[in-house]
Amino acid sequence: MPSPHTGRTTGALLSALLVLLASLTVLTATTGPSRAAGATISVDNYRTGWDQDEPGLTPAQVSSSDFGRQYSTPVDGQVYASPVVVGGTVVVATETNHVYGIDAATGDVKWTVSYGAPWPASGVTTPGATWSCADLAPSMGITSTPVHDPASGYVYLTSKEDGGQFHEAPIWRMHAVDPATGKEKAGFPVVIGGTPDNDPSTPFAPVYQNQRPGLLLLNGVVYAGFGGICDQGNWRGYVVGVDTTGRQTAMWASQTGPGQAGGGIWHSGGGLVADAQGRLLFSTGNGVSPPPGPGDSAPTRLAESVVALSVRGDGKLETTDFFSPADAETLDLNDVDLGSGAVMAIPDEFGTGTVRHLAVTEGKDGRVFLLDRDDLGGRGQGVDGTDAVVQTLGPYQGCYGHPAFWGGDTGYVYFSQNGGPLQAFKLGTDGTGRRALALVGASAINSRHLSAGSPVVSSAGRTPGSAVVWLVRADDMFGRNGALYAYDGTPNADGTMNLLWSGPVGTSTKFSTPVTDNGRVFVGTRDGHLVAFGRPAASALTGQPVTIRGTALGASGTADLTVTATKPLTVTHVGTTAPFAVSTPSLPRTMAAGDTLTVPVTFSPTAPGTAPGIITLETDAGALGFSVIGTAVKGGLSALPGSVSFPKRPTGVPVSASVQFTNTGTENETIGALGLPSAPWGVRGLPAAGTVIAPGASFVASVTYTPTTVGSSTDTLSVTTASGTVAVPLSGTAMEGRGHLVITPTSLAFGAVPVGTTSRELSFTLTNDGNISIFVNKAKAPTGTFSSSDPVSEGIDLGPGQSVSVPITFTPPYGGDFSDGYTITAGTDQGAMTVTLTGTGVS
C-alpha cells in the first residue's frame, strides 16, 4: 500500500512519470488517464474526473473573495452534454441540435452551427399509437458529451434528428466539428445504423434509442453507448464505433435475439471507460439478466451488468468479461438499475499484487462495488452463490452518476448520492492485503432527488490539501435553484467535508457534470446557458500552503504563513477556524508591491489524523484564502468512522460498512487481541494477531449486519495493541415490514375533447399502504398529447400511509383516438405499474 508519507523526491518523480504517460496518451490515442482536462467527459478515459493541473482551483484559490461567476452565455436549447474545452474554445452542444464555439475567457460566441430538427419528446404521434417521454422535454437532440481528438483536431458528437410524418423515422448521426470554425470534417456526418455484429437478426431502431453516455475515443475510433427512451419499444443497449475517417466499424448489442429489449447503457451521462489493458467497460440497466456463471463466459443477454469488451483485429467488439449482482432479477423487477451509476477505473498505480487493476461503481440500490478489472466476477460465483467482487459496501442512498478520484494520500473516491450527502471513501488495504474502501467523510448538505450530478476534482497534482471536489445540485427534479458546490477534497478528522464555496447556476440539468479547465469551472444549464466560474483577476497576495505535521494530540504545532503583495493594498484582518489559530500581526498593514507579511499559525488538534483549513486575509482588494494542513499523531490506533449504525433495516437483508484503522502514532504498532462481535454481526478483512502496522499505515475492516429477527442489536469491534484498545460501537435496528404501492385509478379515460385550445385534466393517486417507506425508482411521465404539470419525482420516498396526487392533462392536437401511459416502479417487488391514458380528439 502506498505510504501516506511518501517523500518529496519520490512524489515528484511519480508526478513526472504521470505527466509523461499522460502526454504519450494524448499523442497516441491510447487509454491511460489523461491530463487533457475538458476534452472528454470526466477528464480521462478512466473517467476519474481528476484534473491534476489546476493550481488556480485549489481550496485557497476557491475560498478567495474574488472567486465567482465570470459570465453566463445564452445558447439555444438545454445543455445536457458537458461542455468540451479545446484550447481557448468551449464547445457547447444543445438539445435543439445547436453547437457553439465560445471563448473560454470572455464568454463571447465565436461560431454557431445547427443540424437537423431535434426529435420531439412527444415521440411517435401516429393516431391510436401515441407514446412519449418527458425525460428530455420538449426535444431530444445532442445529449451525450462530445470528445476531442487531438490527432485529427476535431470534436466528435452525435445528434438525433427528426424524420417521418409522425416523427417515427428519426436518424442518428455522428458529426466531426472543427473547434476553431465549427465546420464539418470531410466524410461526416455519418449515419449510425445497420444490425449488431453479434445479432444480425435485429436492426438498430433509431426511434427507440437515446445516446446518453459521453463519447469515448480509442485508437482512432469514437465509441457511443445507447440505451432506451423511457423503456418504450424494442430498445436495447448498443456500443457503436465510428472511426475518424467516417466509417462505422462496429455495432455490439447487450441483448440479442428477437424481442429481447433491455440492457440499455445510459450511465446518467458518464462515459464508456477504456483502460490501459485494452478493455471497454460500462454498466447496463434493466432487461434480461445473465445466468449465473463465470465472467469469462460470453452470455448473450447482459442486463444489470458491468461489461468488458475487447476490440478484435477486424474492429468488431466482443464480450470478454462481466459482473452481475446475484440479485439481478430483483434489481430488474424493482427498476433499481445497476446501470444508473457509471463505472470508474481507478488508476493502475493504486492496485496491489493481489488485485492490480481496480474499478468501482454504484447503482440505484446504493451498493458500492469495488471490482477487479482483470476478473470482474461473473454472476453468483462467490461463496453460496454470492458476489465474487473485491468489496461490497452499503447500501447507501442510490447513485445516479459516477464517482470521481483524487490520488492524494492513498487515494480517495467521491460519490454523490440521490437524496444523500457527497461521500468520500479512502482507498486502503485490509488485513489480507486486498484493496478496500472506507467511508471517511460526508458533506452536511444532502442532494435532493435526482438533482445531483457526478463530481469532478481539481488539484495541484497530489499535493496535500490541494484538492477541490465540484458538484452541481438543485432543489428538485426540474433543476430549480441549481448551484455549483466546491468541497475540500480532504475530509476533517471527524469525518466532515468542508464546504469552501457555492454559487447559483440557474436551472440545472439532471446528472450535470461540471468541467474544469485552466482555472475555470464550466456548467451547462437546462435554461440554455454556459456559466463560467473562476477568479477574475490575479491574486493581490501570493503565498505557499502551510503544512504542520506530526503534532501530538493535546499539544500544539506551529508554522508561518508568508504572503507577498503583487500590488499596493491594506490588510485589515487575519482569521481562521479551529483547530487552527493565528497570531494576528499589527493591523491594518499597508503593503506595497513586493512587500511580505508573516502570520504565525498554530495547530491544536482535538482528534488524530489530518485536518484541512483556510487562513483568510481580508484586504481592501478583497478577502484572500491560503490553505493550511495539520496532521495530528497519537500513539496507538484510531478508527474512522468511530461507530457503525444501521437503523431501520429489514430482516434478512445484509448491509455493510467499512472501518479504517490507522496507526496515528510515531512507532510501530503490533496487533494483539481482536474483539469480534457475534451474530447478526460479521467482520472480515482484519489482520492476524502479530501483524505490525507502521506509523501512518492503515487497514480496512468490513462490518456486515444481517438481522434475522425484529429488534435492536448492539456489539463492539475492537483491536488491541500495546498502546491500548480502540473500540468501535456497533448498533442496528431490524424491523419486519414491507412497502406496498397502490395506484388509484389504474386508468384514466378522458373521453371526447374538442381539438384546439381545450384540454381536460384528471388525476390518479399513489399511496403507500405498507408499514415501511417506498423508494420510487422510476416515474416516466408522458408529454405532448398527455402531460403532467406536477409529475412524480423519481427518487422520492413515500412514507407509510403517504399519498401523492398526480394530475394529467389531455390536449388532442387533431381528431382521432390517442393513448399513452404513465409508468411507475417502486422498490416493492411489484414490478412496473402503468396508468393507462386514453382520449379522443374531436375536430
Side-chain angles (χ1 to χ4, degrees):
M1 181 181 71
S3 168
H5 301 296
T6 302
R8 186 181 301 272
T9 302
T10 303
L13 178 59
L14 190 56
S15 297
L17 288 172
L18 285 173
V19 172
L20 176 60
L21 288 172
S23 300
L24 291 173
T25 294
V26 172
L27 290 172
T28 63
T30 56
T31 61
S34 164
R35 295 184 63 171
T40 185
I41 184 71
S42 297
V43 179
D44 52 54
N45 283 356
Y46 279 42
R47 309 307 181 190
T48 64
W50 179 21
D51 185 356
Q52 304 180 40
D53 190 18
E54 291 294 345
L57 291 176
T58 61
Q61 302 287 344
V62 173
S63 299
S64 297
S65 63
D66 63 348
F67 185 90
R69 192 180 83 173
Q70 294 184 323
Y71 58 80
S72 180
T73 299
V75 295
D76 186 333
Q78 302 177 92
V79 185
Y80 273 76
S82 292
V84 170
V85 186
V86 182
T89 300
V90 187
V91 178
V92 179
T94 78
E95 294 294 344
T96 58
N97 280 334
H98 285 81
V99 185
Y100 295 80
I102 297 175
D103 189 289
T106 65
D108 295 335
V109 176
K110 298 180 176 181
W111 53 261
T112 307
V113 294
S114 178
Y115 302 129
W119 192 71
S122 55
V124 179
T125 57
T126 305
T130 301
W131 66 266
S132 61
C133 177
D135 275 358
L136 284 169
S139 60
M140 180 183 302
I142 303 168
T143 308
S144 77
T145 300
V147 65
H148 173 243
D149 175 21
S152 67
Y154 285 86
V155 170
Y156 296 84
L157 55 92
T158 61
S159 65
K160 188 169 189 175
E161 300 170 20
D162 196 21
Q165 181 181 0
F166 298 106
H167 314 294
E168 79 280 9
I171 298 173
W172 277 104
R173 289 188 170 96
M174 183 172 288
H175 300 266
V177 180
D178 185 339
T181 64
K183 292 183 178 179
E184 188 99 47
K185 182 182 180 182
F188 283 82
V190 174
V191 175
I192 294 174
T195 59
D197 304 312
N198 60 335
D199 184 13
S201 67
T202 308
F204 177 86
V207 68
Y208 300 120
Q209 301 294 150
N210 188 17
Q211 205 277 291
R212 185 68 180 98
L215 299 182
L216 167 70
L217 174 69
L218 175 63
N219 296 328
V221 179
V222 180
Y223 293 96
F226 288 82
I229 305 169
C230 288
D231 295 356
Q232 294 278 5
N234 189 27
W235 58 279
R236 291 192 287 182
Y238 291 92
V239 178
V240 178
V242 176
D243 69 19
T244 54
T245 67
R247 179 177 63 95
Q248 184 172 309
T249 62
M251 177 179 283
W252 176 93
S254 63
Q255 307 266 209
T256 60
Q260 295 300 328
I265 308 166
W266 62 287
H267 278 187
S268 302
L272 305 177
V273 168
D275 67 10
Q277 291 71 46
R279 290 173 285 243
L280 277 71
L281 294 162
F282 52 87
S283 56
T284 62
N286 53 302
V288 182
S289 299
D296 57 4
S297 65
T300 59
R301 298 167 186 175
L302 284 164
E304 305 292 1
S305 299
V306 173
V307 182
L309 304 180
S310 64
V311 184
R312 300 187 328 209
D314 61 0
K316 309 304 182 186
L317 299 169
E318 64 180 359
T319 310
T320 56
D321 200 0
F322 80 98
F323 160 69
S324 185
D327 60 346
E329 281 89 1
T330 301
L331 299 183
D332 185 69
L333 178 65
N334 293 325
D335 200 70
V336 282
D337 297 354
L338 180 66
S340 70
V343 179
M344 183 194 76
I346 293 176
D348 292 359
E349 61 266 32
F350 291 88
T352 65
T354 55
V355 181
R356 297 175 58 196
H357 306 119
L358 293 161
V360 65
T361 194
E362 182 183 5
K364 281 187 185 179
D365 78 335
R367 285 178 295 177
V368 175
F369 295 102
L370 185 62
L371 305 173
D372 181 351
R373 300 200 315 262
D374 299 323
D375 182 8
L376 291 175
R379 183 169 179 218
Q381 300 302 291
V383 177
D384 296 327
T386 57
D387 298 329
V389 298
V390 179
Q391 185 187 25
T392 302
L393 290 173
Y396 304 106
Q397 299 291 101
C399 180
Y400 291 75
H402 57 287
F405 183 82
W406 177 49
D409 203 343
T410 59
Y412 289 88
V413 174
Y414 305 94
F415 270 106
S416 174
Q417 298 183 88
N418 174 32
L422 172 68
Q423 293 178 316
F425 293 84
K426 194 171 185 180
L427 185 62
T429 306
D430 69 14
T432 68
R434 290 171 65 87
R435 279 299 201 192
L437 294 170
L439 179 60
V440 298
S443 66
I445 301 175
N446 290 347
S447 67
R448 299 183 181 181
H449 307 310
L450 304 185
S451 62
S454 300
V456 298
V457 180
S458 60
S459 75
R462 301 184 184 184
T463 303
S466 69
V468 175
V469 185
W470 301 91
L471 181 68
V472 175
R473 289 193 178 109
D475 282 353
D476 55 32
M477 64 180 291
F478 303 105
R480 287 184 281 240
N481 297 320
L484 175 66
Y485 291 80
Y487 288 92
D488 196 315
T490 305
N492 293 311
D494 63 359
T496 59
M497 296 186 70
N498 291 333
L499 178 63
L500 302 171
W501 175 90
S502 66
V505 300
T507 305
S508 65
T509 60
K510 290 196 299 184
F511 322 132
S512 176
T513 302
V515 172
T516 60
D517 185 85
N518 196 29
R520 291 186 178 89
V521 185
F522 301 95
V523 178
T525 71
R526 195 181 307 201
D527 54 2
H529 287 81
L530 172 70
V531 189
F533 301 87
R535 296 192 65 182
S539 179
L541 291 172
T542 60
Q544 295 298 314
V546 178
T547 302
I548 307 174
R549 296 188 183 276
T551 304
L553 196 63
S556 296
T558 60
D560 288 338
L561 167 66
T562 299
V563 297
T564 302
T566 62
K567 63 181 182 180
L569 56 80
T570 300
V571 179
T572 58
H573 178 75
V574 180
T576 189
T577 56
F580 301 98
V582 294
S583 298
T584 305
S586 177
L587 298 177
R589 174 72 63 86
T590 299
M591 303 174 67
D595 288 352
T596 61
L597 175 66
T598 298
V599 179
V601 183
T602 301
F603 172 48
S604 302
T606 57
T610 301
I614 298 291
I615 302 168
T616 302
L617 283 77
E618 295 181 7
T619 76
D620 57 359
L624 303 167
F626 296 87
S627 295
V628 56
I629 289 285
T631 303
V633 298
K634 175 188 177 183
L637 302 179
S638 66
L640 192 65
S643 63
V644 174
S645 177
F646 299 118
K648 297 182 179 180
R649 297 301 307 171
T651 58
V653 180
V655 59
S656 298
S658 57
V659 180
Q660 185 173 52
F661 294 86
T662 303
N663 180 354
T664 54
T666 58
E667 304 291 336
N668 287 342
E669 293 288 342
T670 301
I671 301 295
L674 298 172
L676 301 178
S678 57
W681 301 94
V683 179
R684 67 177 182 85
L686 288 172
T691 302
V692 176
I693 311 299
S698 62
F699 59 88
V700 176
S702 294
V703 178
T704 302
Y705 175 54
T706 311
T708 57
T709 58
V710 173
S712 297
S713 175
T714 60
D715 214 320
T716 302
L717 166 64
S718 64
V719 180
T720 301
T721 68
S723 298
T725 298
V726 56
V728 179
L730 312 176
S731 63
T733 304
M735 58 186 299
E736 196 75 59
R738 67 186 186 101
H740 186 259
L741 184 64
V742 176
I743 301 180
T744 309
T746 58
S747 63
L748 297 178
F750 290 82
V753 175
V755 174
T757 59
T758 303
S759 63
R760 180 171 296 167
E761 183 175 287
L762 300 173
S763 65
F764 64 89
T765 301
L766 303 180
T767 302
N768 176 7
D769 65 355
N771 67 336
I772 63 174
S773 293
I774 289 176
F775 184 81
V776 177
N777 305 308
K778 177 189 288 183
K780 299 303 182 184
T783 189
T785 304
F786 298 94
S787 62
S788 177
S789 60
D790 189 17
V792 180
S793 176
E794 290 182 332
I796 68 167
D797 278 310
L798 279 178
Q802 185 176 354
S803 295
V804 175
S805 180
V806 184
I808 301 292
T809 301
F810 174 50
T811 309
Y814 44 77
D817 294 328
F818 295 88
S819 64
D820 210 329
Y822 199 130
T823 302
I824 296 168
T825 307
T828 59
D829 295 341
Q830 294 172 265
M833 306 172 71
T834 300
V835 179
T836 302
L837 311 173
T838 59
T840 301
V842 179
S843 298

